[in-house]
PDB file of all heavy atoms in Angstrom:
ATOM      1  N   CYS A   1      20.254   1.399  -6.532  1.00 95.00           N
ATOM      2  CA  CYS A   1      21.385   2.239  -6.122  1.00 95.00           C
ATOM      3  C   CYS A   1      20.942   3.240  -5.055  1.00 95.00           C
ATOM      4  O   CYS A   1      19.877   3.852  -5.161  1.00 95.00           O
ATOM      5  CB  CYS A   1      21.950   2.974  -7.327  1.00 95.00           C
ATOM      6  SG  CYS A   1      23.216   4.198  -6.909  1.00 95.00           S
ATOM      7  N   GLY A   2      21.794   3.444  -4.058  1.00 95.00           N
ATOM      8  CA  GLY A   2      21.464   4.360  -2.992  1.00 95.00           C
ATOM      9  C   GLY A   2      21.698   5.824  -3.311  1.00 95.00           C
ATOM     10  O   GLY A   2      21.084   6.704  -2.675  1.00 95.00           O
ATOM     11  N   ALA A   3      22.546   6.124  -4.285  1.00 95.00           N
ATOM     12  CA  ALA A   3      22.924   7.534  -4.534  1.00 95.00           C
ATOM     13  C   ALA A   3      21.737   8.413  -4.901  1.00 95.00           C
ATOM     14  O   ALA A   3      21.565   9.484  -4.297  1.00 95.00           O
ATOM     15  CB  ALA A   3      24.003   7.595  -5.614  1.00 95.00           C
ATOM     16  N   PRO A   4      20.910   8.054  -5.891  1.00 95.00           N
ATOM     17  CA  PRO A   4      19.787   8.942  -6.215  1.00 95.00           C
ATOM     18  C   PRO A   4      18.763   9.052  -5.104  1.00 95.00           C
ATOM     19  O   PRO A   4      18.103  10.093  -4.956  1.00 95.00           O
ATOM     20  CB  PRO A   4      19.181   8.320  -7.489  1.00 95.00           C
ATOM     21  CG  PRO A   4      19.608   6.899  -7.455  1.00 95.00           C
ATOM     22  CD  PRO A   4      20.963   6.892  -6.802  1.00 95.00           C
ATOM     23  N   ILE A   5      18.631   8.005  -4.300  1.00 95.00           N
ATOM     24  CA  ILE A   5      17.721   8.091  -3.148  1.00 95.00           C
ATOM     25  C   ILE A   5      18.228   9.127  -2.163  1.00 95.00           C
ATOM     26  O   ILE A   5      17.460   9.947  -1.637  1.00 95.00           O
ATOM     27  CB  ILE A   5      17.602   6.717  -2.460  1.00 95.00           C
ATOM     28  CG1 ILE A   5      17.096   5.651  -3.439  1.00 95.00           C
ATOM     29  CG2 ILE A   5      16.656   6.804  -1.256  1.00 95.00           C
ATOM     30  CD1 ILE A   5      17.099   4.246  -2.883  1.00 95.00           C
ATOM     31  N   ALA A   6      19.541   9.108  -1.922  1.00 96.00           N
ATOM     32  CA  ALA A   6      20.135  10.100  -1.026  1.00 96.00           C
ATOM     33  C   ALA A   6      19.946  11.509  -1.563  1.00 96.00           C
ATOM     34  O   ALA A   6      19.539  12.422  -0.821  1.00 96.00           O
ATOM     35  CB  ALA A   6      21.634   9.791  -0.855  1.00 96.00           C
ATOM     36  N   VAL A   7      20.205  11.715  -2.847  1.00 96.00           N
ATOM     37  CA  VAL A   7      20.080  13.053  -3.448  1.00 96.00           C
ATOM     38  C   VAL A   7      18.644  13.545  -3.376  1.00 96.00           C
ATOM     39  O   VAL A   7      18.391  14.692  -2.984  1.00 96.00           O
ATOM     40  CB  VAL A   7      20.573  13.017  -4.905  1.00 96.00           C
ATOM     41  CG1 VAL A   7      20.251  14.338  -5.608  1.00 96.00           C
ATOM     42  CG2 VAL A   7      22.066  12.757  -4.955  1.00 96.00           C
ATOM     43  N   ARG A   8      17.709  12.718  -3.770  1.00 95.00           N
ATOM     44  CA  ARG A   8      16.302  13.149  -3.773  1.00 95.00           C
ATOM     45  C   ARG A   8      15.848  13.549  -2.370  1.00 95.00           C
ATOM     46  O   ARG A   8      15.148  14.550  -2.198  1.00 95.00           O
ATOM     47  CB  ARG A   8      15.410  12.016  -4.313  1.00 95.00           C
ATOM     48  CG  ARG A   8      15.554  11.755  -5.794  1.00 95.00           C
ATOM     49  CD  ARG A   8      14.798  10.494  -6.192  1.00 95.00           C
ATOM     50  NE  ARG A   8      13.389  10.592  -5.870  1.00 95.00           N
ATOM     51  CZ  ARG A   8      12.600   9.537  -5.655  1.00 95.00           C
ATOM     52  NH1 ARG A   8      13.094   8.319  -5.714  1.00 95.00           N
ATOM     53  NH2 ARG A   8      11.320   9.713  -5.405  1.00 95.00           N
ATOM     54  N   THR A   9      16.251  12.765  -1.374  1.00 95.00           N
ATOM     55  CA  THR A   9      15.832  13.047  -0.006  1.00 95.00           C
ATOM     56  C   THR A   9      16.458  14.322   0.529  1.00 95.00           C
ATOM     57  O   THR A   9      15.809  15.134   1.190  1.00 95.00           O
ATOM     58  CB  THR A   9      16.158  11.863   0.910  1.00 95.00           C
ATOM     59  OG1 THR A   9      15.662  10.658   0.328  1.00 95.00           O
ATOM     60  CG2 THR A   9      15.521  12.046   2.278  1.00 95.00           C
ATOM     61  N   VAL A  10      17.731  14.524   0.227  1.00 97.00           N
ATOM     62  CA  VAL A  10      18.404  15.759   0.675  1.00 97.00           C
ATOM     63  C   VAL A  10      17.780  16.978   0.014  1.00 97.00           C
ATOM     64  O   VAL A  10      17.456  17.964   0.694  1.00 97.00           O
ATOM     65  CB  VAL A  10      19.913  15.692   0.382  1.00 97.00           C
ATOM     66  CG1 VAL A  10      20.572  17.052   0.602  1.00 97.00           C
ATOM     67  CG2 VAL A  10      20.585  14.642   1.254  1.00 97.00           C
ATOM     68  N   LEU A  11      17.574  16.938  -1.292  1.00 96.00           N
ATOM     69  CA  LEU A  11      17.031  18.102  -1.991  1.00 96.00           C
ATOM     70  C   LEU A  11      15.579  18.386  -1.587  1.00 96.00           C
ATOM     71  O   LEU A  11      15.150  19.539  -1.583  1.00 96.00           O
ATOM     72  CB  LEU A  11      17.120  17.904  -3.502  1.00 96.00           C
ATOM     73  CG  LEU A  11      18.529  17.833  -4.100  1.00 96.00           C
ATOM     74  CD1 LEU A  11      18.467  17.695  -5.622  1.00 96.00           C
ATOM     75  CD2 LEU A  11      19.343  19.080  -3.731  1.00 96.00           C
ATOM     76  N   ARG A  12      14.852  17.344  -1.217  1.00 94.00           N
ATOM     77  CA  ARG A  12      13.477  17.542  -0.801  1.00 94.00           C
ATOM     78  C   ARG A  12      13.398  18.270   0.557  1.00 94.00           C
ATOM     79  O   ARG A  12      12.344  18.797   0.925  1.00 94.00           O
ATOM     80  CB  ARG A  12      12.758  16.195  -0.709  1.00 94.00           C
ATOM     81  CG  ARG A  12      11.238  16.298  -0.915  1.00 94.00           C
ATOM     82  CD  ARG A  12      10.544  14.971  -0.712  1.00 94.00           C
ATOM     83  NE  ARG A  12      10.801  14.066  -1.803  1.00 94.00           N
ATOM     84  CZ  ARG A  12      11.322  12.853  -1.661  1.00 94.00           C
ATOM     85  NH1 ARG A  12      11.680  12.424  -0.469  1.00 94.00           N
ATOM     86  NH2 ARG A  12      11.503  12.072  -2.697  1.00 94.00           N
ATOM     87  N   ALA A  13      14.510  18.325   1.264  1.00 94.00           N
ATOM     88  CA  ALA A  13      14.537  19.036   2.539  1.00 94.00           C
ATOM     89  C   ALA A  13      14.576  20.545   2.354  1.00 94.00           C
ATOM     90  O   ALA A  13      14.373  21.298   3.305  1.00 94.00           O
ATOM     91  CB  ALA A  13      15.725  18.588   3.369  1.00 94.00           C
ATOM     92  N   LEU A  14      14.863  21.016   1.134  1.00 94.00           N
ATOM     93  CA  LEU A  14      14.832  22.458   0.862  1.00 94.00           C
ATOM     94  C   LEU A  14      13.420  23.003   1.004  1.00 94.00           C
ATOM     95  O   LEU A  14      12.455  22.335   0.594  1.00 94.00           O
ATOM     96  CB  LEU A  14      15.343  22.737  -0.555  1.00 94.00           C
ATOM     97  CG  LEU A  14      16.838  22.598  -0.789  1.00 94.00           C
ATOM     98  CD1 LEU A  14      17.123  22.398  -2.267  1.00 94.00           C
ATOM     99  CD2 LEU A  14      17.565  23.850  -0.280  1.00 94.00           C
ATOM    100  N   GLU A  15      13.293  24.197   1.552  1.00 92.00           N
ATOM    101  CA  GLU A  15      11.994  24.852   1.591  1.00 92.00           C
ATOM    102  C   GLU A  15      11.605  25.274   0.166  1.00 92.00           C
ATOM    103  O   GLU A  15      12.465  25.640  -0.643  1.00 92.00           O
ATOM    104  CB  GLU A  15      12.034  26.056   2.518  1.00 92.00           C
ATOM    105  CG  GLU A  15      12.269  25.700   3.990  1.00 92.00           C
ATOM    106  CD  GLU A  15      11.179  24.809   4.556  1.00 92.00           C
ATOM    107  OE1 GLU A  15      10.009  24.945   4.139  1.00 92.00           O
ATOM    108  OE2 GLU A  15      11.498  23.967   5.405  1.00 92.00           O
ATOM    109  N   PRO A  16      10.308  25.210  -0.174  1.00 91.00           N
ATOM    110  CA  PRO A  16       9.876  25.458  -1.542  1.00 91.00           C
ATOM    111  C   PRO A  16      10.329  26.803  -2.118  1.00 91.00           C
ATOM    112  O   PRO A  16      10.580  26.919  -3.304  1.00 91.00           O
ATOM    113  CB  PRO A  16       8.340  25.394  -1.460  1.00 91.00           C
ATOM    114  CG  PRO A  16       8.079  24.532  -0.254  1.00 91.00           C
ATOM    115  CD  PRO A  16       9.188  24.813   0.703  1.00 91.00           C
ATOM    116  N   GLU A  17      10.446  27.811  -1.260  1.00 92.00           N
ATOM    117  CA  GLU A  17      10.805  29.142  -1.763  1.00 92.00           C
ATOM    118  C   GLU A  17      12.301  29.310  -2.002  1.00 92.00           C
ATOM    119  O   GLU A  17      12.736  30.292  -2.606  1.00 92.00           O
ATOM    120  CB  GLU A  17      10.321  30.215  -0.780  1.00 92.00           C
ATOM    121  CG  GLU A  17      10.989  30.189   0.585  1.00 92.00           C
ATOM    122  CD  GLU A  17      10.332  29.267   1.589  1.00 92.00           C
ATOM    123  OE1 GLU A  17       9.499  28.434   1.163  1.00 92.00           O
ATOM    124  OE2 GLU A  17      10.638  29.386   2.792  1.00 92.00           O
ATOM    125  N   ASP A  18      13.090  28.348  -1.527  1.00 93.00           N
ATOM    126  CA  ASP A  18      14.542  28.474  -1.651  1.00 93.00           C
ATOM    127  C   ASP A  18      15.067  27.751  -2.898  1.00 93.00           C
ATOM    128  O   ASP A  18      14.529  26.723  -3.313  1.00 93.00           O
ATOM    129  CB  ASP A  18      15.237  27.885  -0.411  1.00 93.00           C
ATOM    130  CG  ASP A  18      15.003  28.728   0.827  1.00 93.00           C
ATOM    131  OD1 ASP A  18      14.666  29.926   0.678  1.00 93.00           O
ATOM    132  OD2 ASP A  18      15.137  28.186   1.937  1.00 93.00           O
ATOM    133  N   LYS A  19      16.095  28.333  -3.464  1.00 95.00           N
ATOM    134  CA  LYS A  19      16.770  27.714  -4.600  1.00 95.00           C
ATOM    135  C   LYS A  19      18.088  27.131  -4.130  1.00 95.00           C
ATOM    136  O   LYS A  19      18.553  27.416  -3.028  1.00 95.00           O
ATOM    137  CB  LYS A  19      17.005  28.768  -5.695  1.00 95.00           C
ATOM    138  CG  LYS A  19      15.731  29.383  -6.240  1.00 95.00           C
ATOM    139  CD  LYS A  19      16.036  30.434  -7.293  1.00 95.00           C
ATOM    140  CE  LYS A  19      14.751  31.073  -7.811  1.00 95.00           C
ATOM    141  NZ  LYS A  19      15.039  32.120  -8.835  1.00 95.00           N
ATOM    142  N   ALA A  20      18.694  26.318  -4.981  1.00 97.00           N
ATOM    143  CA  ALA A  20      19.957  25.695  -4.594  1.00 97.00           C
ATOM    144  C   ALA A  20      20.940  25.717  -5.756  1.00 97.00           C
ATOM    145  O   ALA A  20      20.525  25.696  -6.940  1.00 97.00           O
ATOM    146  CB  ALA A  20      19.741  24.265  -4.128  1.00 97.00           C
ATOM    147  N   VAL A  21      22.202  25.778  -5.433  1.00 97.00           N
ATOM    148  CA  VAL A  21      23.268  25.487  -6.388  1.00 97.00           C
ATOM    149  C   VAL A  21      23.886  24.174  -5.942  1.00 97.00           C
ATOM    150  O   VAL A  21      24.262  24.009  -4.784  1.00 97.00           O
ATOM    151  CB  VAL A  21      24.335  26.602  -6.405  1.00 97.00           C
ATOM    152  CG1 VAL A  21      25.448  26.238  -7.392  1.00 97.00           C
ATOM    153  CG2 VAL A  21      23.716  27.935  -6.768  1.00 97.00           C
ATOM    154  N   VAL A  22      23.934  23.222  -6.866  1.00 97.00           N
ATOM    155  CA  VAL A  22      24.413  21.886  -6.564  1.00 97.00           C
ATOM    156  C   VAL A  22      25.650  21.597  -7.401  1.00 97.00           C
ATOM    157  O   VAL A  22      25.717  21.974  -8.578  1.00 97.00           O
ATOM    158  CB  VAL A  22      23.327  20.837  -6.863  1.00 97.00           C
ATOM    159  CG1 VAL A  22      23.854  19.423  -6.619  1.00 97.00           C
ATOM    160  CG2 VAL A  22      22.082  21.094  -6.025  1.00 97.00           C
ATOM    161  N   CYS A  23      26.633  20.938  -6.797  1.00 96.00           N
ATOM    162  CA  CYS A  23      27.747  20.442  -7.605  1.00 96.00           C
ATOM    163  C   CYS A  23      28.011  18.994  -7.229  1.00 96.00           C
ATOM    164  O   CYS A  23      27.652  18.539  -6.138  1.00 96.00           O
ATOM    165  CB  CYS A  23      28.991  21.314  -7.442  1.00 96.00           C
ATOM    166  SG  CYS A  23      29.894  21.097  -5.894  1.00 96.00           S
ATOM    167  N   SER A  24      28.630  18.288  -8.157  1.00 95.00           N
ATOM    168  CA  SER A  24      28.928  16.900  -7.926  1.00 95.00           C
ATOM    169  C   SER A  24      30.308  16.574  -8.470  1.00 95.00           C
ATOM    170  O   SER A  24      30.620  16.902  -9.613  1.00 95.00           O
ATOM    171  CB  SER A  24      27.895  15.986  -8.579  1.00 95.00           C
ATOM    172  OG  SER A  24      28.267  14.637  -8.483  1.00 95.00           O
ATOM    173  N   ALA A  25      31.088  15.916  -7.647  1.00 89.00           N
ATOM    174  CA  ALA A  25      32.360  15.393  -8.120  1.00 89.00           C
ATOM    175  C   ALA A  25      32.109  14.331  -9.181  1.00 89.00           C
ATOM    176  O   ALA A  25      31.063  13.700  -9.222  1.00 89.00           O
ATOM    177  CB  ALA A  25      33.149  14.802  -6.958  1.00 89.00           C
ATOM    178  N   THR A  26      33.074  14.129 -10.050  1.00 90.00           N
ATOM    179  CA  THR A  26      32.984  13.054 -11.023  1.00 90.00           C
ATOM    180  C   THR A  26      32.709  11.748 -10.286  1.00 90.00           C
ATOM    181  O   THR A  26      33.386  11.405  -9.336  1.00 90.00           O
ATOM    182  CB  THR A  26      34.299  12.932 -11.810  1.00 90.00           C
ATOM    183  OG1 THR A  26      34.521  14.152 -12.517  1.00 90.00           O
ATOM    184  CG2 THR A  26      34.233  11.792 -12.797  1.00 90.00           C
ATOM    185  N   SER A  27      31.667  11.041 -10.726  1.00 91.00           N
ATOM    186  CA  SER A  27      31.212   9.864  -9.986  1.00 91.00           C
ATOM    187  C   SER A  27      30.107   9.179 -10.800  1.00 91.00           C
ATOM    188  O   SER A  27      29.686   9.680 -11.840  1.00 91.00           O
ATOM    189  CB  SER A  27      30.643  10.291  -8.635  1.00 91.00           C
ATOM    190  OG  SER A  27      29.574  11.220  -8.818  1.00 91.00           O
TER     191      SER A  27
END
């Protein structure tokens, strides 16, 4: 499946010192 690959790659673009708030539509 491509979805978790997309998510992992996007989140890995965050700088280590930064935090994130993530939301996901029902899917």
